[in-house]
Amino acid sequence: MADTDFDYDLFVIGGGSGGVRAARVAAGEYGAKVALAEDDRYGGTCVIRGCVPKKLMVFASTYSDVVEEARSYGWDHRQGPFDWQDFRGRLTQELDRLEGVYRKLLANSGVETFDLRARLKDAHTVELADGTTKTAKHILVATGGHPVRPDLPNAELGIVSDDIFHLDQLPKSILIIGGGYIACEFACILRGLGVEVTQYYRGAQILRGFDDEARGLVAESMRDSGIDLHTGTNIVEMALAEDRKDGPQPTASAASMGAGVKQAAGRSGPVWVKSTNGGEKVFDMVLFATGRDPSSKDMGLEEIGVTLGRRGEIKVDEYSQTGVPSVYAIGDVTDRVNLTPVAIREGMAFVETVFGGNPTPVDHDLIPSAIFTQPEMGTVGLSEEEARDREPVEIYCTSFKPMQSAFAGKSDRVLMKLVVSRETRVVLGCHIVAPNAGELIQMAGIAVKAKLTKEQFDATCAVHPTMSEELVTMRKPVRTA
Ligand code: FAD
């Protein structure tokens, strides 16, 4: 039963991964009276414009390789063309289905939903876009984040990751700006779908913050697959190619593609780009994967005393509570670890704390994660570089051609790496670059989270023949650091 002083026990703003989980557990398991406002589609970034549609595109993009490899195994399969419109139709249907599931989960838990934008009016009052106000004992802000374009004239000519899933046609050529996981994943996806991909990243190596050896192998594999990856390179100018009669002109393919590519500015067509090294090129499309900002603007947060960080992230304590005691925030809007399972855990911990009477801090330590490049990268714990700055370590590492693709005559390599404390023997980090590394790191993550030692890894019998058996058979360190 709701506290009689308020309309609801809990008002959640944002129907994404974190918000939906918190709302339905508070209502369904604790009997709280809960409302949720969502101004776009239920399921949020993960379901509608992130993890799910991206992973389905990853699957789509790998079939070209599978067909080629199957021929080496005696199958007479022939590569046909990829039909983007057909795939996009199925993708749209699947996302509609999933959105329906999310709506149903909320309804079945007794959560009242408002398909409207919401903002805070005071510490206990939410104002909806239709002008109505609702009061709640607790307010949970779970508004996520959004992609940002760089501060560059004509940047609106480029698309962002949200737009990829709605393209009328795939471009023949694309320039991807950025070196983070979203940039690299889309570079591999689009290359696999037959797009000519160029990628500019201003840093010295893509996937900043991950283990150097692992990201080095991903970069090399991306180049081998035909991605024209330029590090130490950025974009300095861009314009519609048709507005630059004196510059390089679109290739025939670029010119013919232009009509199908709608850019954010409303005008469409191939884009002329000048890079920091002075080069000028024309691409059918430019994708900015240059970062995401927390969605906290014009939410009334600062007005009621909630502190925001430099990029707009909501400042919270270990219980996801803001400086205003009735207001909590979880997920990407707090810019802690921006991953779906983390937003969900933060939502669960919030409910346990506020409705379960059991203060539960959120554990952000040793979170396994995957990058769905080709090959994938799975990682948990410290990189070699981070670990050696903290304590003396031993590095166990092997890189080899996996059986399946080697048989097909391909030069793909995989990497298995363990970072081990010399003093405690605990495995501090595990890094895998291999097909299905995301699946492998989920399992290895349990061992690393449990702080098992190298000797406990070694005491586990190998599963043969697999790639990951190397994780328990690396006897000698390749180096100490
Ligand atoms: P969101 O899921 O973004 O939900 C926030 C919701 O709030 C949105 O639906 C939004 O419309 C709504 N909203 C915003 N403001 C208001 C308002 N004022 N009123 C009402 N509603 C509002 N994570 C992984 O773990 N694995 C991956 O492989 C992965 N891949 C990704 C790929 C891409 C391209 C992107 C962009 C992200 C990816 N992520 C991945 C990150 C993951 O999607 C996010 O970490 C996760 O969705 C965050 O959940 P959230 O609940 O904080 O916010």
Side-chain angles (χ1 to χ4, degrees), residues 20-103:
V20 168
R21 178 61 67 94
R24 72 185 179 86
V25 176
E29 288 182 22
Y30 291 97
K33 189 171 183 212
V34 182
L36 182 148
E38 167 57 58
D39 72 341
D40 195 333
R41 296 187 64 186
Y42 286 75
T45 304
C46 172
V47 176
I48 305 296
R49 48 194 169 268
C51 330
V52 173
K54 171 200 79 183
K55 190 78 189 280
L56 290 168
M57 284 184 77
V58 169
F59 291 140
S61 71
T62 52
Y63 285 101
S64 49
D65 268 1
V66 170
V67 170
E68 196 191 302
E69 210 169 277
R71 290 171 65 78
S72 308
Y73 281 87
W75 291 93
D76 186 19
H77 289 324
R78 308 272 152 184
Q79 188 86 266
F82 171 68
D83 186 338
W84 166 254
Q85 261 108 10
D86 179 59
F87 170 73
R88 197 193 56 181
R90 288 166 192 269
L91 183 66
T92 306
Q93 272 176 18
E94 177 60 3
L95 302 187
D96 290 349
R97 186 187 71 80
L98 288 172
E99 186 183 7
V101 169
Y102 271 74
R103 280 185 182 271

Side-chain angles (χ1 to χ4, degrees), residues 213-253:
E213 218 164 3
R215 63 198 184 121
L217 180 55
V218 173
E220 202 178 298
S221 306
M222 286 172 63
R223 288 193 172 102
D224 286 350
S225 73
I227 294 166
D228 188 14
L229 171 61
H230 299 256
T231 49
T233 307
N234 205 349
I235 183 173
V236 283
E237 265 185 81
M238 66 191 294
L240 273 182
E242 65 179 25
D243 293 346
R244 300 264 327 166
K245 293 292 179 226
D246 51 335
Q249 289 305 299
T251 58
S253 68

Side-chain angles (χ1 to χ4, degrees), residues 14 16 18 38-39 44-45 51 54 118 142 144 181 292 299 331-332 339-341:
E38 167 57 58
D39 72 341
T45 304
C51 330
K54 171 200 79 183
Y181 82 94
R292 295 175 62 79
M299 291 277 304
D332 285 10
L339 292 170
T340 289

Side-chain angles (χ1 to χ4, degrees), residues 325-357:
S326 57
V327 179
Y328 287 73
I330 55 164
D332 285 10
V333 75
T334 60
D335 198 23
R336 287 175 281 180
V337 180
N338 298 334
L339 292 170
T340 289
V342 179
I344 290 174
R345 280 180 163 252
E346 288 168 357
M348 302 280 280
F350 156 77
V351 173
E352 187 63 24
T353 301
V354 173
F355 296 99

Side-chain angles (χ1 to χ4, degrees), residues 161-178:
S161 64
D162 289 358
D163 304 319
I164 284 269
F165 313 107
H166 307 288
L167 295 176
D168 290 339
Q169 297 178 49
L170 278 186
K172 192 107 172 106
S173 65
I174 192 164
L175 170 65
I176 298 180
I177 312 283

